[in-house]
């Protein structure tokens, strides 16, 4: 498990720890503002956001040799299930336009493929890699079929799954998760109007 911490002064760090509590903490990176995003399926690579001077760069840590390399300018990155691609939210070349969802080859090089059309963030792969989900600026959950059989992803036409009440469509951290069958979604949402209050019973 990787997580970000703060030393109480100005810098942040990313540590990794065994989920069973064994072993010692290992420090992987330190900088001004770090946000871990995703592990590769084999546990070798960690993609994280390295935010400095208001801009976010996606960096890759290779735990096999403890090297750190820059990947792209962007946020909210996730490895594809086969580890050959990274989906992320990035700005268009034209300054001031909405961020869009892209897919880039990993480890690269190669062009990045635009997936969303009118703004998008928080891309998430389905477990089989055949769909990509993302949030629009008006909080709609979108789905895009991904054909990965041609050596390069071919994206279908994005379509709306449903309107959400997600806390924020763009927060530079993921606010939803996808079930392994791609049919259910756990979304950090604002309460609906008139929702009953939460009651906690304690013995």
């Amino acid at each position: 498990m990787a997580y970000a911490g703060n030393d109480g002064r100005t810098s942040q760090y990313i540590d990794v720890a065994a989920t069973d509590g064994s072993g010692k903490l290992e420090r992987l990176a330190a900088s001004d503002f770090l946000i871990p995003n995703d592990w590769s399926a084999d546990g070798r690579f960690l993609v994280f956001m390295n935010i400095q001077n208001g801009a976010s760069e996606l960096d890759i840590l290779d735990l096999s040799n403890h090297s750190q390399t820059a990947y792209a300018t962007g946020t909210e990155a996730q490895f594809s299930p086969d580890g050959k691609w990274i989906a992320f939210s990035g700005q268009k070349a034209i300054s001031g336009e909405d961020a869009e969802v892209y897919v880039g080859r990993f480890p690269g090089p190669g062009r990045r493929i635009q997936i969303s059309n009118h703004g998008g963030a928080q891309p998430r792969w389905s477990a089989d890699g055949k769909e990509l989900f993302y949030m629009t600026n008006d909080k709609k959950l979108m789905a895009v079929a991904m054909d990965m059989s041609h050596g390069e992803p071919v994206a279908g036409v994005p379509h709306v799954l449903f309107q959400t009440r997600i806390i924020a469509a763009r927060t530079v951290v993921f606010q939803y998760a996808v079930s392994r069958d791609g049919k259910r979604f756990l979304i950090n949402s604002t309460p609906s109007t008139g929702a009953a209050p939460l009651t906690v019973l304690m013995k």
Side-chain angles (χ1 to χ4, degrees):
M1 179 181 68
Y3 63 92
N6 192 296
D7 64 3
R9 294 188 294 276
T10 58
S11 64
Q12 285 193 321
Y13 53 83
I14 294 177
D15 282 354
V16 65
T19 55
D20 63 2
S22 63
K24 295 181 179 180
L25 294 177
E26 182 180 0
R27 184 140 304 171
L28 301 181
S31 189
D32 294 338
F33 189 8
L34 306 174
I35 302 177
N37 279 178
D38 194 36
W39 288 101
S40 60
D42 60 6
R44 175 178 172 180
F45 299 102
L46 176 70
V47 58
F48 66 98
M49 293 161 51
N50 188 354
I51 302 173
Q52 298 187 49
N53 300 318
S56 175
E57 179 181 85
L58 293 171
D59 287 356
I60 305 290
L61 280 167
D62 183 345
L63 270 69
S64 69
N65 57 19
H66 291 81
S67 64
Q68 178 177 332
T69 57
Y71 178 75
T73 299
T75 62
E76 303 160 341
Q78 187 181 37
F79 287 100
S80 61
D82 64 7
K84 296 179 180 179
W85 305 91
I86 293 178
F88 63 96
S89 178
Q91 292 289 338
K92 284 186 176 181
I94 302 174
S95 177
E97 292 198 10
D98 288 333
E100 300 285 358
V101 170
Y102 297 91
V103 170
R105 187 182 299 276
F106 179 75
R111 70 184 184 95
R112 64 181 191 178
I113 302 162
Q114 184 173 330
I115 305 299
S116 60
N117 294 321
H118 303 290
Q122 302 187 49
R124 300 292 245 171
W125 294 93
S126 62
D128 59 9
K130 294 181 179 180
E131 271 190 303
L132 194 64
F133 307 98
Y134 67 89
M135 286 289 173
T136 62
N137 295 336
D138 58 357
K139 302 184 179 183
K140 290 182 175 69
L141 181 63
M142 308 292 287
V144 183
M146 301 293 291
D147 183 353
M148 313 294 282
S149 63
H150 303 286
E152 184 174 274
V154 177
V157 178
H159 64 277
V160 179
L161 289 182
F162 53 87
Q163 178 71 51
T164 75
R165 300 192 313 274
I166 194 167
I167 292 292
R170 278 195 60 79
T171 61
V172 303
V173 289
F174 291 110
Q175 296 293 314
Y176 74 101
V178 185
S179 64
R180 289 195 61 81
D181 61 9
K183 297 180 179 179
R184 292 170 294 173
F185 303 86
L186 181 64
I187 302 174
N188 184 17
S189 303
T190 57
S192 59
T193 303
L198 179 65
T199 301
V200 179
L201 298 178
M202 302 181 65
K203 297 180 66 176

